[in-house]
Amino acid sequence: MIHDLTRAERLRYQRKQDAAYEAGDAAVSNLKAALALAGLVLPSLSNDGPVGCRGLVRLGGCSTELANRLAEVIAAGARALRDQQR
């Protein structure tokens, strides 16, 4: 049996979808800013929209050079965090 959503349920779902979309936008902005600090740009970085009330970020494709540089920056940051915790 298929359950039709009530108006209230549809509104709650829409609010969750809107919040997920906004969370995706915020995550994209945060990641772009962090990448910019490292002098990196992911050209296809974008908000992929909400799916099942969860925000998704599309990282997109990049060159192997950029992927390797990104790996170096992430590893350096992870090492710095680890060293701070000691």
Side-chain angles (χ1 to χ4, degrees):
M1 179 164 132
I2 296 176
H3 171 70
D4 288 331
L5 297 177
T6 65
R7 184 174 189 284
E9 289 170 328
R10 285 193 308 273
L11 288 172
R12 277 193 298 275
Y13 181 78
Q14 186 60 51
R15 280 194 293 271
K16 287 180 182 180
Q17 288 286 88
D18 291 345
Y21 188 86
E22 290 173 14
D25 273 346
V28 167
S29 294
N30 289 338
L31 186 53
K32 280 183 179 180
L35 290 168
L37 287 173
L40 301 172
V41 174
L42 285 175
S44 301
L45 179 62
S46 64
N47 186 350
D48 207 14
V51 174
C53 295
R54 294 181 62 191
L56 293 178
V57 174
R58 181 175 302 271
L59 298 176
C62 66
S63 68
T64 56
E65 179 183 345
L66 178 59
N68 286 324
R69 179 70 182 118
L70 185 56
E72 290 173 13
V73 169
I74 291 170
R79 284 191 294 273
L81 286 173
R82 183 190 61 216
D83 292 346
Q84 283 180 349
Q85 294 172 352
R86 288 184 181 172

